[in-house]
Amino acid sequence: MAEDRVSDTLRRLVAERARDCCEYCRSQTAYAMQSFSVEHIVPRSRGGLTVGLNLAWSCQGCNNHKYTKVEAPDPVGGAVVPLFNPRTQRWRDHFTWSNDATLILGLTPSGRATVIALRLNREGLVNLRGVLFEHGAHPPPEPE
């Protein structure tokens, strides 16, 4: 049976699986101003379990903006679509970087909805990405 609390072992597994990057905005823990957390992809309030297949490594900003959301409107057509799920979908299938690697661009309805709903291009992130890009430390390696 799944527990509500995320064990230290499970927390390490989630962080290592994500290569110490937010699984949504790809921020790297090494350059973060706030600690990262284990995020429930399907929130517990919506019946999500505290198991590896329902957990993602998330920066505080993405975690706060996602909150209990599991879907959002696609800004192109307006249809409500599921948010990106890092356990069942590949990041590169739904997102790409702008030419200067400062902006995340949504490629699919779920990608576009996630960019808007989680505010993946928050001003501070865009600025940090630009500085890190100039120093060869961004973007991080592609997730598998």
Side-chain angles (χ1 to χ4, degrees), residues 71-84 94-95 104-121:
E71 57 188 18
D74 173 5
V76 171
V80 175
V81 297
L83 294 177
F84 169 72
H94 294 272
F95 308 99
I104 295 175
L105 308 174
L107 299 173
T108 64
S110 288
R112 292 187 297 264
T114 302
V115 167
I116 300 299
L118 275 60
R119 300 183 187 167
L120 300 185
N121 293 314

Side-chain angles (χ1 to χ4, degrees), residues 1-51:
M1 178 157 210
E3 293 183 28
D4 288 342
R5 182 184 162 289
V6 177
S7 69
D8 291 340
T9 301
L10 189 52
R11 180 180 173 80
R12 278 191 301 276
L13 174 127
V14 172
E16 288 171 8
R17 177 177 65 195
R19 296 183 178 176
D20 285 320
C21 291
C22 176
E23 295 191 75
Y24 299 103
C25 74
R26 305 296 299 139
S27 292
Q28 301 170 65
T29 57
Y31 305 110
M33 297 291 290
Q34 297 176 316
S35 62
F36 280 39
S37 58
V38 175
E39 187 266 330
H40 287 78
I41 298 165
V42 175
R44 289 181 20 212
S45 64
R46 293 179 175 240
L49 301 176
T50 305
V51 296

